[in-house]
Amino acid sequence: MVFIQLLQSLGLPYEAAWLLSQVLIITIMISVLLVIVAFVLLADRKIFAAVQLRRGPNVVGIFGLLQSFADLIKFLVKEVIIPSGANKGVFLLAPLVSAITALSTWAVVPLDDGWVVADINVGILYIFALSSLGVYGIIMGGWASNSKYAFLGGLRSAAQMISYEVSIGFVLITVLLYAGSLNLSEVVNAQRDGWFAFSFLFPTFVIFFISAIAETNRPPFDLPEAESELVAGYMVEYSSTPFLLFFLAEFVNIMLMSAMCAILFFGGWLPPLDIWPLNAVPGVLWLFAKICFFFFLMAMVRSIVPRYRYDQLMRLGWKVFLPISLLWVVLTAGYLLASGRVPL
């Protein structure tokens, strides 16, 4: 509304002011998100190095803080190499699909009370749908590369993401039952009396967190890339900017899943206790701190836990998480009905 009023004061009609304000908000959000992703990538490398008693990036800039920007310049100026047997159109379209779907999901993520690009009533379904579409970019890249390693990586990614999306879907149903809304802002407001992670939904939070790691192809579930047998998998034929877009999509999705953990189970922008000085801190800073915490947990899992075999990955998704998440939907509905807390 602030942008709209400012633009209307310059003489623009309401429709033009609204459209221009949306463009400005989206541009600012994407720019900030890309800068944050650059430092998140550096933090991921630093944490991994610290666990292995190495230094990590420490040359470009103070403490290596500009390493990600140096990598960005390198990717942008390198030549885009397309394999001679590849389907060139699909080959170049695949990373765009992955990057655009990953960035688009942030449109419904509330950063604070009222700080959201699109405060739609089906925000959870929107994120679930777009994250499901992201797998098409990986499949397209694996198929268009005309390489057996890339093709196998794409097939693995499709099977893996579909398997763990089923469990994530049932987890989202339990959150919906507790909050009584698919609107992410309403989900956060429903946790003012207590975060969902410290309630009957704690087991679903554990399932969601582990499934989020598998959904984003992070170690120990990085079977689609699997350097030991697939030599980088679906990205093996990519270089320069297309490779950068795949890498960007992966880390944007990691940040999204960290944000979803915070919003769905840990109160989003709400402080741990509604007391001064905790409630004096801006909500966006609380959300950012929670996102950083969950990303740190994911980075530590990557550093410590050895990679699963593919049969172990599938067994965990279909024989452990799926039955438990389905059972918890039934138990959650029964618990809310017995305690008279069914949302209207």
Side-chain angles (χ1 to χ4, degrees):
M1 288 299 295
V2 175
F3 280 118
I4 296 176
Q5 293 171 359
L6 179 61
L7 293 171
Q8 282 186 302
S9 67
L10 298 177
L12 291 175
Y14 177 81
E15 292 78 8
W18 178 86
L19 181 62
L20 188 56
S21 68
Q22 292 299 105
V23 172
L24 287 173
I25 292 172
I26 293 172
T27 303
I28 292 172
M29 187 170 184
I30 290 178
S31 300
V32 172
L33 182 61
L34 293 180
V35 173
I36 292 175
V37 166
F39 288 106
V40 163
L41 175 58
L42 176 67
D44 191 40
R45 298 172 67 181
K46 284 284 192 180
I47 293 170
F48 195 51
V51 172
Q52 295 185 343
L53 300 180
R54 297 186 290 110
R55 291 184 180 274
N58 66 341
V59 175
V60 184
I62 302 174
F63 305 115
L65 291 177
L66 300 180
Q67 181 64 55
S68 295
F69 299 98
D71 292 337
L72 170 64
I73 295 173
K74 178 188 70 174
F75 279 120
L76 292 178
V77 300
K78 286 178 66 177
E79 178 186 2
V80 178
I81 299 174
I82 303 177
S84 58
N87 186 317
K88 294 181 175 58
V90 179
F91 185 85
L92 295 176
L93 182 62
L96 284 174
V97 171
S98 293
I100 290 173
T101 54
L103 291 170
S104 299
T105 52
W106 282 86
V108 298
V109 176
L111 306 179
D112 201 343
D113 194 8
W115 286 34
V116 58
V117 175
D119 193 22
I120 60 178
N121 291 329
V122 289
I124 293 178
L125 288 181
Y126 174 85
I127 290 179
F128 192 64
L130 279 186
S131 62
S132 301
L133 289 176
V135 70
Y136 284 100
I138 295 175
I139 296 173
M140 291 164 62
W143 177 82
S145 296
N146 194 29
S147 165
K148 62 181 179 181
Y149 298 110
F151 185 61
L152 286 173
L155 291 179
R156 282 187 177 188
S157 180
Q160 176 174 327
M161 295 177 75
I162 291 172
S163 299
Y164 283 87
E165 278 174 0
V166 176
S167 300
I168 289 178
F170 284 124
V171 169
L172 294 180
I173 291 175
T174 62
V175 174
L176 163 65
L177 290 172
Y178 248 73
S181 174
L182 287 168
N183 185 296
L184 290 173
S185 297
E186 294 298 326
V187 171
V188 174
N189 288 324
Q191 299 179 65
R192 292 189 179 275
D193 296 329
W195 293 354
F196 289 165
F198 303 107
S199 67
F200 192 74
L201 298 185
F202 177 76
T204 60
F205 160 68
V206 175
I207 293 175
F208 184 86
F209 180 75
I210 299 175
S211 298
I213 297 176
E215 180 79 6
T216 53
N217 297 330
R218 289 279 290 179
F221 306 120
D222 58 334
L223 278 302
E225 299 175 30
E227 295 87 351
S228 58
E229 68 262 25
L230 295 183
V231 290
Y234 64 92
M235 291 192 293
V236 69
E237 300 292 347
Y238 281 88
S239 63
S240 187
T241 307
F243 176 85
L244 175 65
L245 290 175
F246 268 129
F247 213 59
L248 171 67
E250 181 177 324
F251 271 83
V252 170
N253 283 325
I254 292 168
M255 295 297 293
L256 174 70
M257 286 302 175
S258 299
M260 292 300 290
C261 286
I263 291 171
L264 296 177
F265 297 99
F266 282 81
W269 64 78
L270 300 177
L273 297 172
D274 191 16
I275 58 174
W276 192 89
L278 297 181
N279 54 15
V281 178
V284 65
L285 295 183
W286 278 118
L287 179 62
F288 181 71
K290 294 172 185 177
I291 292 174
C292 291
F293 171 72
F294 286 114
F295 175 77
F296 175 77
L297 292 183
M298 289 186 180
M300 290 301 294
V301 170
R302 176 201 177 198
S303 306
I304 296 173
V305 182
R307 175 185 288 146
Y308 273 43
R309 294 197 318 268
Y310 201 73
D311 62 308
Q312 293 174 327
L313 175 77
M314 290 292 105
R315 185 185 304 118
L316 180 65
W318 289 107
K319 293 187 177 181
V320 179
F321 285 174
L322 176 59
I324 293 177
S325 59
L326 181 57
L327 173 65
W328 222 258
V329 170
V330 177
L331 293 179
T332 301
Y335 170 73
L336 292 175
L337 186 62
S339 60
R341 298 174 54 187
V342 178
L344 301 176

